[in-house]
Amino acid sequence: TVMTFFGHSYRETYREGCKILGKTEFSAKNAIKRIFPLTTIALAATYFNFYALSFTSATNVTAVTSTSAAFVYVMSLIWLKEPFIAIRMLAVCISIAGVILIGYSEGFGSFRVIGILLAVASAICSALYRVFTKRLIGQGSVIQASFFTCVLGLQTFLVYWIPTAVLVPSNVEVIEPTTFPWTAFLLTGLAGFGFSTLMCVGIAVTYPIYMSMGPLLAIPINALIDAYIEDIFFDMLKILGTLAISMGFLILTVPVPIILSFSLKFRLLIANCFRD
């Protein structure tokens, strides 16, 4: 509807959106084949993220899931054929070291370290989702990204209510309407909708690695909330781990031309030093 204000007819918008399915007309078979796996990966990332919060603080989960930028780079080397750059691989190692520091702070073998492992699983699933979404959409338009989000949301609506219908009657999960946190649930749903929409559009018009910036910026916000509401504070190991993850992320977001230029100058400087 919005695109009609920019001179596009509904028919043109529909055909443009269907291009992500490889055709100019909608096909349920192609939608399931090309988009349903991404819907499943997105659900897994969300599940791991929420379940991790049962074991550790929101700040720890946010910090660890920020390593998705590192996983995005590694996967981009494989599936998006991005160039291998040594300094970026160093950034990946720095990010992994940060996760190890946070896990060590929680205590390896403790109950709370399960939350760290679940957050890592969420980061991996999130990276898979971003890379394969980019592979599917490519340098897509805003219309194609919006159409993709629409189909993904429709598939989620049609399929992923089934576990609830099975688990609640069997008493595996207990939901009481009178005690259910409806306000928090609705706010989380709205936030998730905004996040998914911005993520799909951002991946289409930029690069997956740039879309990993959100969790990094959320770390200090979550730290303040945890300190104010939960009385949870970072110890030195967690601070060092978070700084390592942040440093690795910032290195990964530096544009390739700048990295290559810096690398060339550094090699020339080293060569001149040994020559002298």
Side-chain angles (χ1 to χ4, degrees):
T1 301
V2 174
M3 298 309 295
T4 58
F5 292 103
F6 296 93
H8 296 272
S9 68
Y10 284 106
R11 187 66 179 172
E12 290 173 343
T13 303
Y14 172 74
R15 286 181 175 274
E16 176 70 18
C18 287
K19 287 181 181 178
I20 64 169
L21 301 178
K23 298 184 177 181
T24 56
E25 296 292 336
F26 182 79
S27 166
K29 180 180 178 181
N30 278 350
I32 293 172
K33 180 181 178 181
R34 295 170 71 93
I35 298 180
F36 189 73
L38 292 172
T39 306
T40 304
I41 292 171
L43 179 73
T46 304
Y47 176 79
F48 287 135
N49 186 70
F50 282 127
Y51 198 38
L53 294 170
S54 303
F55 297 94
T56 188
S57 68
T59 308
N60 287 346
V61 172
T62 306
V64 174
T65 52
S66 295
T67 58
S68 62
F71 293 118
V72 164
Y73 176 64
V74 174
M75 295 175 189
S76 295
L77 291 174
I78 302 171
W79 287 297
L80 299 182
K81 306 303 179 183
E82 286 196 9
F84 175 83
I85 301 173
I87 193 170
R88 283 194 164 183
M89 189 54 66
L90 175 63
V92 171
C93 295
I94 292 173
S95 296
I96 293 173
V99 173
I100 293 173
L101 285 173
I102 294 176
Y104 183 79
S105 174
E106 291 290 328
F108 289 117
S110 69
F111 190 66
R112 290 191 300 174
V113 82
I114 297 174
I116 304 300
L117 295 176
L118 288 169
V120 171
S122 176
I124 293 172
C125 289
S126 180
L128 280 169
Y129 172 78
R130 293 169 190 176
V131 170
F132 280 101
T133 298
K134 183 64 178 180
R135 190 177 182 185
L136 174 66
I137 299 177
Q139 295 295 332
S141 63
V142 175
I143 294 175
Q144 291 174 356
S146 301
F147 186 84
F148 169 80
T149 307
C150 237
V151 175
L152 186 142
L154 180 63
Q155 289 180 350
T156 302
F157 175 76
L158 292 176
V159 176
Y160 291 115
W161 59 270
I162 296 175
T164 305
V166 173
L167 295 175
V168 173
S170 61
N171 291 323
V172 176
E173 294 283 351
V174 179
I175 298 178
E176 294 291 342
T178 55
T179 59
F180 189 78
W182 291 106
T183 302
F185 175 75
L186 292 173
L187 289 174
T188 302
L190 288 172
F193 171 75
F195 173 80
S196 298
T197 302
L198 292 173
M199 180 67 67
C200 291
V201 174
I203 290 174
V205 300
T206 61
Y207 294 94
I209 200 166
Y210 293 138
M211 298 313 298
S212 304
M213 186 176 291
L216 183 70
L217 299 177
I219 293 174
I221 298 174
N222 276 326
L224 290 174
I225 294 173
D226 281 340
Y228 181 74
I229 297 178
E230 304 289 341
D231 289 327
I232 299 175
F233 297 93
F234 265 24
D235 58 25
M236 185 54 65
L237 283 176
K238 288 181 181 177
I239 292 174
L240 291 174
T242 302
L243 289 175
I245 292 172
S246 301
M247 182 185 300
F249 171 83
L250 292 173
I251 293 173
L252 286 167
T253 55
V254 176
V256 173
I258 295 178
I259 291 180
L260 293 177
S261 176
F262 174 80
S263 178
L264 178 60
K265 291 179 181 178
F266 182 75
R267 288 200 303 268
L268 290 175
L269 178 63
I270 296 296
N272 289 333
C273 288
F274 280 105
R275 189 180 303 165
D276 294 338

